[in-house]
Amino acid sequence: MGRITASQAGGKTRLATLFQEGCGKIRLPNTHASSLEAVLINTAGGITGGDHLQWGATVAPGGHLVLTTQACERSYRSTGDFGRVHTHLEVGAGAHLDWLPQETILFAASKLDRTLEADLEDGATLTAIESVILGRDAMGEDAADALLRDAWRIRRNGRLIHAEATRLDATSAERASPSLLSGNRAFASILHVAATSDTAEALCARLRTLMPGTAPIAASANGERVVIRAMAPTGLALRRLIVPVLIELTGAGSLPRLWHL
């Protein structure tokens, strides 16, 4: 378990409180920026059946907090229950939070249940991504029997503004169907919550200019939300699709250095 709270003072976002226990660790690299960057680390090296990992973060009004992970998370084979990961984010009025974990790799016979909850106040904005790779690219794996449950709930001032659920079962139809993964082994969901619907519409129009016309990536705007879906045959190909989009969406206009190592 790990939790971080960020305050705002002197035009910079600073650490207020930090709690960590068990395999959940948080490190704060020096970025020389006005934002605060936190790196989440699962020292267990991955998640398997029965594990329960919790992350929490709060950023004060007017602040900017960037959350990423040290490396790809790994969901390993489970002979019993699902491994669980729960993340809860709180974004103060006029603040921005970037939730930018690196990819989750599903191994053969893995079972992962993941939830993301975020509570936003007036004028707060959020950029969030969750991306998945089915098996290791270098090993030629496809994790055909991996199971995934992924649920998002985003609220502003207590009102639900975005909800989605992804369920991946061990069926060939899901992997091969043209309306689902169409044979791809990597996919991502990106959500940006803007301050206003006009801002979201303009942002969505800019994002579409960054997307190759023939690539399986698309963006849509609905109210204050911009939603991007992407898929690719490999994790590297997926990154090439989503990195330009994420750079446009993040509050800093750049990605954490760990994304480029």
Side-chain angles (χ1 to χ4, degrees):
M1 178 178 182
R3 179 166 183 79
I4 184 171
T5 301
S7 61
Q8 188 72 0
K12 290 188 176 182
T13 305
R14 306 175 185 272
L15 176 66
T17 65
L18 186 150
F19 173 82
Q20 54 189 12
E21 68 176 358
C23 65
K25 307 298 181 186
I26 300 176
R27 296 295 179 263
L28 307 173
N30 190 352
T31 62
H32 305 287
S34 59
S35 60
L36 178 66
E37 182 177 316
V39 179
L40 311 181
I41 305 170
N42 176 9
T43 59
I47 300 166
T48 189
D51 289 350
H52 188 193
L53 186 60
Q54 294 178 286
W55 299 113
T58 300
V59 55
H64 179 196
L65 178 61
V66 181
L67 300 172
T68 188
T69 55
Q70 183 186 39
C72 294
E73 184 61 275
R74 292 163 174 81
S75 178
Y76 291 122
R77 175 185 297 272
S78 171
T79 57
D81 201 0
F82 277 72
R84 293 183 292 156
V85 180
H86 177 71
T87 303
H88 186 203
L89 311 173
E90 297 174 299
V91 191
H96 179 80
L97 192 148
D98 288 314
W99 172 248
L100 303 173
Q102 298 189 62
E103 298 89 346
T104 295
I105 301 174
L106 301 184
F107 282 67
S110 62
K111 300 177 183 178
L112 179 63
D113 187 341
R114 185 171 60 190
T115 57
L116 172 65
E117 293 186 86
D119 293 297
L120 283 61
E121 296 182 2
D122 287 328
T125 56
L126 169 72
T127 297
I129 180 173
E130 291 287 6
S131 48
V132 174
I133 301 174
L134 301 173
R136 294 168 294 182
D137 290 346
M139 304 299 290
E141 300 168 346
D142 61 6
D145 53 356
L147 305 178
L148 172 69
R149 300 192 300 233
D150 193 15
W152 297 25
R153 296 293 182 270
I154 315 298
R155 297 175 175 83
R156 188 184 294 281
N157 295 325
R159 178 177 62 88
L160 186 66
I161 61 172
H162 181 82
E164 65 173 83
T166 299
R167 181 171 180 146
L168 184 67
D169 291 327
T171 61
S172 59
E174 287 181 340
R175 310 300 175 96
S177 172
S179 63
L180 296 171
L181 289 180
S182 191
N184 288 285
R185 292 180 41 254
F187 59 95
S189 294
I190 304 172
L191 170 69
H192 180 80
V193 180
T196 67
S197 58
D198 289 343
T199 304
E201 289 284 354
L203 180 58
C204 186
R206 292 203 306 272
L207 293 176
R208 286 170 177 159
T209 67
L210 303 175
M211 299 176 181
T214 58
I217 182 171
S220 62
N222 187 341
E224 61 203 292
R225 298 170 298 138
V226 180
V227 178
I228 300 96
R229 312 288 188 192
M231 56 185 180
T234 66
L236 179 59
L238 181 67
R239 279 214 175 191
R240 288 172 175 164
L241 285 178
I242 63 176
V243 163
V245 170
L246 288 174
I247 290 174
E248 186 73 20
L249 292 176
T250 61
S254 62
L255 293 179
R257 184 174 297 177
L258 286 167
W259 271 71
H260 302 288
L261 295 180

